[in-house]
Structures are given as structure tokens and as C-alpha cells.
Amino acid sequence: MTITTPEIRASESNHWYTRDGVPRYTVIGKNGKERNTTLRDARAENLVPSVTTVLNIAAKPALTAWLQKQVLLAALTLPRIDGEPEADYISRIIDDSKEQGRAAADAGTDIHTSIQSFFEKKPVHKHHHSVYATDKQLESVFGIQEWVSERSFGHELGFGGKADLYVPTDKGIVVDVKTKEFYNEADVVAYDEHLMQLAAYRVGLGVPEARCGNLFVSRKVPSLVVFKEWTEEDLKRGWEMFTHLLMFWQLKNKHT
């Protein structure tokens, strides 16, 4: 297991890491231009998938239901052009439905960047309420800590990742930040995918007994953040689930 903190902020649309834990989201193609890293590149360069890449092979019922809702809403609000072929109309509906997801992802990345800047002791130019609430929530749960932001790693089992917030004490603390659209604490639900991600992160970071939790930041109410800590029993279950998914991913993709 190797841990590193590289100054890389490329898009994480493809999640790949070197065995030493350095992100390799993009590569230079034969035409000399930068492109997203593929499975073929990973095999050639001996890269490992991120925890989230492995988790993507598991079904996500809540996400699937949300995506279906966006398609239905787009179909209800997008008028059909006279004489437009059905295939073209369907394509426009699907494209339109994806806009909501893209907008949410952009807003989430924006908030996440501000939180990252704060914990890296860099200037924060916006989302001050979310950043302040995040800092106070973490302090109320863990006390004053020296948080390390965006710590990446590579693990000998063949996976990598990058933790949002990490405290490298003897036992350690690992926190993953999620931005969501919610108005009340009761609206926040933590899923097994969140659990598996954190369980894998703490092993990958070399702190297998670390306290772990998800910090949910509202995209609707700037000062609203909710922290959900996982129990040790949950985390052990999460690690077992993740290792089985990892084995399936490696066998399916013929890449270990």
C-alpha cells in the first residue's frame, strides 16, 4: 500500500491510479492529445481502478429511479417537433434529461472545491456558508483536527482512491463529502455504496480501524450539513462487500 498527495486536479470521469497511488485520469493519445484513460491503457500501464470505479458495477436503485424520473420529466416538458422522427425525439428527450444531472454534478464539484480549498488553507472565494458549516460539524464530532485533504493511495489488492478528508493519527479518521439536494436532515439517507467506499478507503490508507463517516452538504440550503458516522460493525460488513465486488470486477475485466 502506497499513499501520495500529488498536485493533480484533472477530471475524475475515469478513475485510475498507479500502483503508487498517483491519479492517472488522463493519458496522451497517439495523436498527441490528452484523453480519458481507458481499461486498455490500465492494462498496458499496470494501473488499478478506483474504489468508485469498482462500486459502479453494483446496482444503485435510488440513482436508477432518479434517472428514470428525469427522463419522464423531460418527456413531459419537451415538445415534439412536427415531422420529427421518433428516434430523434427520443434522443432529444434523453439528452435533455441528462442536463439536470450535469447541472447537479457541476454544482457539487463547485462546493467540493471550496471545501477542499479551505482545508488546504487556500483562499475560499464562494460557498462560505457551506464551508463554515462543514468545519463546525466536523469539529463538533471529532474536535479540532489537522485534516489532510485529497489524500490518494494505491493498495496491493489492486485498487486505488482519493479520500476527501483524512486524519493520519494512530487509528485515523476518514470522511467522504457528498453534496445532495435536501432541505432537512431527515431527508438524508446513507447507502451501502457510501459504506463500502469508506471501508475501502480506510484500508487503502493504511488505517483499517479508522472512524469513518459521510458528510452530506446541501445544495439547496447553504448552511445545512449532516454527518453520518458508520459503526465498526457496518465498516467490517462494508469491507467484505467491497472485496467481493473487487474480485468480480477483476475477473470480469481480466485485470488484477
Side-chain angles (χ1 to χ4, degrees):
M1 177 271 297
T2 307
I3 301 173
T4 185
T5 311
E7 286 294 321
I8 296 177
R9 296 199 183 198
S11 169
E12 294 187 38
S13 57
N14 284 327
H15 304 266
W16 298 96
Y17 292 82
T18 68
R19 301 278 168 168
D20 293 330
V22 178
R24 286 278 284 163
Y25 307 138
T26 61
V27 297
I28 302 301
K30 292 181 179 179
N31 60 0
K33 296 182 179 180
E34 189 176 39
R35 60 171 174 76
N36 289 332
T37 305
T38 65
L39 176 60
R40 179 178 294 181
D41 298 322
R43 288 171 176 153
E45 299 186 27
N46 197 28
L47 305 177
V48 297
S50 72
V51 170
T52 51
T53 296
V54 173
L55 294 179
N56 281 340
I57 65 172
K60 298 178 177 62
L63 175 60
T64 300
W66 185 85
L67 292 172
Q68 290 173 335
K69 181 178 179 181
Q70 302 313 307
V71 172
L72 287 172
L73 288 172
L76 290 170
T77 57
L78 194 67
R80 186 169 182 173
I81 301 171
D82 289 342
E84 181 180 25
E86 183 178 85
D88 292 348
Y89 181 46
I90 291 174
S91 180
R92 283 202 303 119
I93 289 173
I94 293 175
D95 286 343
D96 187 76
S97 72
K98 292 178 180 178
E99 284 301 319
Q100 181 69 19
R102 282 192 284 264
D106 289 344
T109 298
D110 210 29
I111 294 171
H112 194 284
T113 298
S114 293
I115 292 172
Q116 178 183 341
S117 295
F118 174 80
F119 285 103
E120 290 179 349
K121 298 179 172 55
K122 297 177 180 178
V124 177
H125 302 292
K126 50 187 174 180
H127 304 298
H128 295 92
H129 291 296
S130 295
V131 171
Y132 178 79
T134 294
D135 183 42
K136 290 304 175 185
Q137 179 72 284
L138 291 176
E139 185 176 330
S140 70
V141 177
F142 299 108
I144 297 176
Q145 301 285 345
E146 283 295 321
W147 294 95
V148 176
S149 176
E150 302 297 303
R151 174 61 59 88
S152 62
F153 63 85
H155 192 273
E156 60 187 7
L157 288 182
F159 67 94
K162 186 163 63 175
D164 290 336
L165 294 170
Y166 164 60
V167 177
T169 56
D170 290 340
K171 283 197 171 183
I173 303 170
V174 184
V175 171
D176 190 65
V177 179
K178 303 289 185 188
T179 61
K180 286 181 173 291
E181 295 185 358
F182 63 94
Y183 295 91
N184 302 287
E185 181 175 351
D187 296 333
V188 177
V189 179
Y191 295 101
D192 278 345
E193 64 190 84
H194 303 141
L195 167 63
M196 288 188 282
Q197 183 179 16
L198 282 164
Y201 277 6
R202 71 173 188 169
V203 172
L205 288 165
V207 283
E209 296 181 356
R211 292 175 65 183
C212 296
N214 289 105
L215 186 76
F216 296 96
V217 182
S218 173
R219 292 195 297 268
K220 295 296 186 180
V221 184
S223 60
L224 179 59
V225 301
V226 176
F227 184 76
K228 290 187 177 291
E229 184 169 1
W230 296 97
T231 67
E232 183 62 23
E233 181 180 1
D234 282 332
L235 289 162
K236 288 179 178 177
R237 181 174 65 88
W239 174 243
E240 287 295 317
M241 288 192 291
F242 175 76
T243 54
H244 283 78
L245 282 180
L246 176 62
M247 184 180 297
F248 175 78
W249 186 97
Q250 291 171 335
L251 290 170
K252 180 179 183 296
N253 291 285
K254 301 177 182 178
H255 181 64
T256 59

